[in-house]
Each structure stands twice: as C-alpha cells, then as structure tokens.
Amino acid sequence: RASTIDASQKMKRLLNLLGYLVSDLTQNELAARGACRCHKFRSGGFGMELHTYGQALWNAKNATGGNACVAVSRNWIWDPDETLFDLPRDKSCAKHLVSWKGKHGPKGWGVDKRLRRAATTQYLMAHMNSSIYADAMKTAAYRAFTGSARRVVSVHVRWGDKGREMALRPIDEYVEAVKNVTKYSGEALDVFLTTEDAKAVAAFRKAVPRNWNVVVYEAAVSSDKVLYGRHGMADQARNHRESGYHSLVALVLAMQADAFVITSGSNWSRLMEELCLGRDLEP
C-alpha cells in the first residue's frame, strides 16, 4: 500500500514537472523571438549527450523562472544532418552559454535528479522527428514481435566501450533477469534486444533457451573495432553518420515492450527508465 502511494505521488510530481518545463511556445518559436542561450554538445555517447542537453534546458528555465530558449551546437556527431530533433541550432555556439550541470530544481520543490531527467527526456522525445516513429513501425523487427499473444521483454545490454567505465555485466545475468521479470517457467518468450555491440547479440542468442524469439534491430548494432576504443561510441557516430538515427529507431522499438531489463550504469538504459515513468501519462 505504501509503495503504491509513493508511486502515485511521484507520478503527480512528474506531471507537475512536465507542466513547469513545457511552455506554450516550442524552442523554435522562442528562438524566433530573440537570442537563445547555447548548449554545446561534448561529443560523447548519445545517451549522455541527451541527458546533458536536458539538464541545460532545465537550468535555463529554472534561472529565468519562465520561457527559456536553449539552442544546440551545429555539426553534432549524433545528428549531423540536423533531422532528428526539432530544436534551434546555433552556428557558433560561443555566446549565451548555459550550464549543463546542476542538482537543484525550482526552489522549494525538492526535485530529485531522476524526476528532472524523466521530464526533460520526455520533452526531448516529444520533439523528435515523427518520421522516426513511422520508420520504426516499418521495420522487420517491429513486425517480428507485434501482434504476438506473448509478452514482449525489452533488454538493453551495454557492452562495447563501457568496459572502460565499469565492469560489464555477464550475459547470463541478463538472461536470468528476463526469467525473473517474467516469472519464467519454460514457456516461449519474445525478447527485443537493444545493444550497440554485435558480440553481445551473439552471446545473448547463445545463452537463451531455444524457444525464446530474440528480435534485434540489426542496423543499430556494430562490429566496428572503434566501438571498443577510448572514444568508442563517439567514434562510432563519427564513422557512421546514421548512427543517431538508428539508435532512436531502436529506442522506439524497445519502448513497445511490456517489461524491461536495463543496465543501471548506462545513460541509454536510464533514458528507457525515464520514458517508462511517463508511459501512462496523459498529454
């Protein structure tokens, strides 16, 4: 009973945060009215980049107490053609800078980072190019698990260069987590696997029971050796202009599931968690 109340209160606070964050004017409409503050992307992993922009947007609104325009730098490695998000761009990104750091929400709210990030993540996804949703629905991966009577479990395995930051979780732990979340008793399952690493795909398919239907959006998976280097995901984006697009298609597909197994140390997994927080919220 207590946990249900806590969850309800968190959802109410998240709704309030979304109302605080999203004004009647879009970022582009605000940009048309005057100069924007600028957020310069740091050329890191995609999930980290989205989180830092979200924090910069939050900081700008918190500092002004109202509408705030935050433009993003051009030549962003994850969106080089400027087609993924409907956001204002800044040619030089040398003026009107806004911090992407911060731990505090509006005064007196006591807003924790998890809810702030959920609000900004949902704001960003609401301004993602709608064609990405349409393209996701056309994929073989989508057709492979939609319409099934079975529950779909979404699994995100973050391997690749992540081993430079943390101990990578063995694939058997992901398989065991799927069994736990589904209360597995030997039945067939549909599992949508999200990962950037072809090695993780091979390992997962080898480890799961034979009656599991493992679905992968292959275009978002790579075996490029730069994936395991010092700037793995960033170099992947530099080498493959479409990496950001395919990552977002995979994210849309992953969010169609009924249950989720994620990696707590991954920004991409946290994006999935933040989107889950608002799945049942009314617009």
Side-chain angles (χ1 to χ4, degrees), residues 2 6 12 31 39 42 85 87-89 97 117 129-130 196 199 204 211-212 245 252 259 263 268 276-277:
D6 289 344
K12 185 176 180 180
H39 172 70
R42 306 171 67 212
F85 293 95
L87 297 170
R89 304 280 172 159
L97 293 174
R117 283 187 166 176
N129 190 324
S130 60
E196 71 289 339
K199 292 180 181 179
F204 190 82
N211 63 342
W212 287 16
Y245 164 81
V252 171
T263 306
W268 202 256
C276 281
L277 278 172

Side-chain angles (χ1 to χ4, degrees), residues 175-198:
V175 176
E176 191 62 30
V178 172
K179 292 179 178 179
N180 290 339
V181 78
T182 59
K183 296 181 172 56
Y184 181 68
S185 59
E187 68 277 13
L189 291 177
D190 290 323
V191 179
F192 181 72
L193 176 63
T194 305
T195 182
E196 71 289 339
D197 193 340

Side-chain angles (χ1 to χ4, degrees):
R1 178 64 178 172
S3 62
T4 301
I5 293 174
D6 289 344
S8 176
Q9 289 174 340
K10 284 188 175 183
M11 279 297 185
K12 185 176 180 180
R13 290 172 71 196
L14 180 54
L15 272 173
N16 290 336
L17 287 176
L18 284 167
Y20 173 83
L21 179 71
V22 182
S23 69
D24 292 333
L25 299 176
T26 67
Q27 286 290 295
N28 279 325
E29 288 170 330
L30 287 171
R33 292 188 166 197
C36 294
R37 290 171 170 82
C38 178
H39 172 70
K40 187 173 183 179
F41 285 117
R42 306 171 67 212
S43 298
F46 201 6
M48 182 198 76
E49 297 274 66
L50 292 175
H51 276 139
T52 57
Y53 174 74
Q55 183 65 57
L57 181 64
W58 183 270
N59 287 351
K61 290 190 72 66
N62 194 36
T64 62
N67 293 335
C69 176
V70 181
V72 294
S73 53
R74 309 199 81 157
N75 302 315
W76 182 26
I77 60 172
W78 291 103
D79 189 9
D81 300 318
E82 302 183 5
T83 58
L84 301 184
F85 293 95
D86 185 24
L87 297 170
R89 304 280 172 159
D90 187 297
K91 292 181 180 179
S92 61
C93 219
K95 299 179 181 179
H96 313 294
L97 293 174
V98 59
S99 173
W100 55 268
K101 298 180 179 180
K103 298 182 179 180
H104 306 290
K107 293 181 179 179
W109 282 45
V111 181
D112 60 48
K113 181 185 289 186
R114 185 165 174 258
L115 288 179
R116 277 202 321 277
R117 283 187 166 176
T120 53
T121 294
Q122 289 175 55
Y123 178 88
L124 282 170
M125 292 304 112
H127 291 81
M128 187 170 71
N129 190 324
S130 60
S131 67
I132 294 172
Y133 293 98
D135 290 349
M137 301 305 116
K138 297 174 185 175
T139 63
Y142 181 75
R143 294 193 297 273
F145 63 73
T146 53
S148 172
R150 300 189 291 261
R151 292 179 72 200
V152 178
V153 182
S154 182
V155 179
H156 177 228
V157 176
R158 179 67 168 95
W159 276 11
D161 63 327
K162 197 65 175 178
R164 301 179 66 88
E165 301 176 13
M166 56 176 267
L168 299 181
R169 308 314 305 169
I171 212 70
D172 289 343
E173 289 189 9
Y174 291 93
V175 176
E176 191 62 30
V178 172
K179 292 179 178 179
N180 290 339
V181 78
T182 59
K183 296 181 172 56
Y184 181 68
S185 59
E187 68 277 13
L189 291 177
D190 290 323
V191 179
F192 181 72
L193 176 63
T194 305
T195 182
E196 71 289 339
D197 193 340
K199 292 180 181 179
V201 174
F204 190 82
R205 282 181 164 151
K206 183 178 180 180
V208 301
R210 295 183 64 181
N211 63 342
W212 287 16
N213 175 36
V214 179
V215 181
V216 178
Y217 177 58
E218 299 288 353
V221 180
S222 175
S223 56
D224 193 326
K225 64 180 181 181
V226 302
L227 193 62
Y228 312 99
R230 182 178 179 184
H231 306 293
M233 291 303 294
D235 284 340
Q236 172 74 11
R238 292 186 185 96
N239 289 357
H240 305 279
R241 291 178 64 87
E242 71 285 356
S243 290
Y245 164 81
H246 289 307
S247 294
L248 291 177
V249 170
L251 179 63
V252 171
L253 292 169
M255 297 310 299
Q256 309 308 307
D258 303 298
F260 300 83
V261 172
I262 59 178
T263 306
S264 61
S266 163
N267 274 291
W268 202 256
S269 278
R270 287 195 288 270
L271 286 174
M272 293 171 64
E273 179 191 22
E274 289 150 12
L275 291 171
C276 281
L277 278 172
R279 287 182 81 189
D280 299 322
L281 296 180
E282 294 294 329

